[in-house]
Amino acid sequence: MREVKGKQGARAQETRRRIIEAAGALFVEQGYGATKLQEIADRAGVAIQTIYFVFRNKPSLLKALVDEAIAGDDDPVPTMDRPWFAEVTSARTASPALAALVAATRATLERVAAVSEMVRAATATNPEIRELWPDQADPRYTVISTAAESLIKKPGARPSISAEEAADIIYAVLSPELFLVLTRDRAWPPAKWEQWAYGTLASQLLGGSSRP
């Protein structure tokens, strides 16, 4: 019986994954408003009733897509409880902490940058999307400001910089918008973006002997 339940659970997870992948591709290609649930079902190879059963409706599917793109999986673990964030905060000096932050951000932006752009465009014409993320503190800035507070206290950080200024600089350089400008519009490989982002931030946030 446990084996049967395990297989059923695995199939359900695989179905969910296919639906989210299909929705992400179509939403980015066509736009949220122009994409029909039937198109998503056809690409995912499932019945449209399956989408309603798993996600209830189109906005809920979009939210699941965004949440999983940010996290990289469907585990309900907050960003600041994930191993990569612990690597940032537990680093003994500022340089490896910054490198860990940039590397983790690159991995996240490769999944979520285009999705974020699509959501911003869709929000302007689909009021129901605004209700998915009620007005609150920007979660991306919350994570970055916490990382910045930790980073500036480490040996190797620039002594004169405040946590708020450091957070603002990191927030700008590691933004989805700038990532898309360089990796999509200017065709930079993500590895080149990561190297540039680290070097740019190091010049602003690290002391002279810690800069690359």
Side-chain angles (χ1 to χ4, degrees):
M1 182 64 72
R2 288 182 180 177
E3 183 178 352
V4 171
K5 289 184 177 179
K7 289 181 179 179
Q8 290 175 340
R11 283 197 297 269
Q13 285 294 100
E14 173 61 18
T15 298
R16 178 186 174 89
R17 181 193 64 78
R18 292 205 316 270
I19 293 171
I20 286 179
E21 285 187 358
L26 287 167
F27 286 160
V28 170
E29 290 170 14
Q30 303 178 168
Y32 173 83
T35 300
K36 308 301 181 186
L37 286 181
Q38 186 62 61
E39 294 177 289
I40 297 172
D42 292 343
R43 181 170 292 200
V46 301
I48 191 171
Q49 290 83 359
T50 302
I51 296 180
Y52 286 119
F53 177 77
V54 176
F55 297 102
R56 300 194 317 277
N57 54 43
K58 190 176 174 183
S60 294
L61 172 56
L62 175 65
K63 188 173 190 307
L65 164 65
V66 173
D67 290 346
E68 292 194 21
I70 292 171
D73 54 49
D74 59 358
D75 294 336
V77 179
T79 298
M80 288 188 284
D81 290 337
R82 289 181 173 265
W84 74 261
F85 194 81
E87 186 178 354
V88 173
T89 56
S90 64
R92 297 183 61 132
T93 60
S95 180
L98 180 61
L101 177 61
V102 173
T105 302
R106 169 191 164 182
T108 300
L109 290 176
E110 286 188 85
R111 296 188 304 266
V112 82
V115 173
S116 297
E117 184 181 59
M118 174 271 296
V119 170
R120 281 193 298 273
T123 301
T125 54
N126 297 270
E128 72 273 14
I129 295 179
R130 299 189 192 100
E131 299 173 6
L132 299 176
W133 295 280
D135 292 338
Q136 57 181 351
D138 183 341
R140 188 171 78 86
Y141 187 81
T142 299
V143 171
I144 285 174
S145 62
T146 304
E149 287 176 8
S150 173
L151 189 146
I152 66 164
K153 296 174 183 176
K154 298 180 186 295
R158 203 178 95 200
S160 59
I161 196 163
S162 68
E164 182 178 8
E165 183 181 0
D168 288 347
I169 292 170
I170 296 169
Y171 187 78
V173 173
L174 302 187
S175 67
E177 296 86 354
L178 188 50
F179 180 83
L180 287 175
V181 166
L182 294 176
T183 61
R184 183 190 63 191
D185 300 346
R186 301 308 309 157
W188 281 22
K192 180 178 179 179
W193 173 90
E194 182 179 341
Q195 183 179 31
W196 168 83
Y198 173 80
T200 301
L201 290 171
S203 70
Q204 296 292 312
L205 305 179
L206 303 185
S209 61
S210 299
R211 295 177 188 175

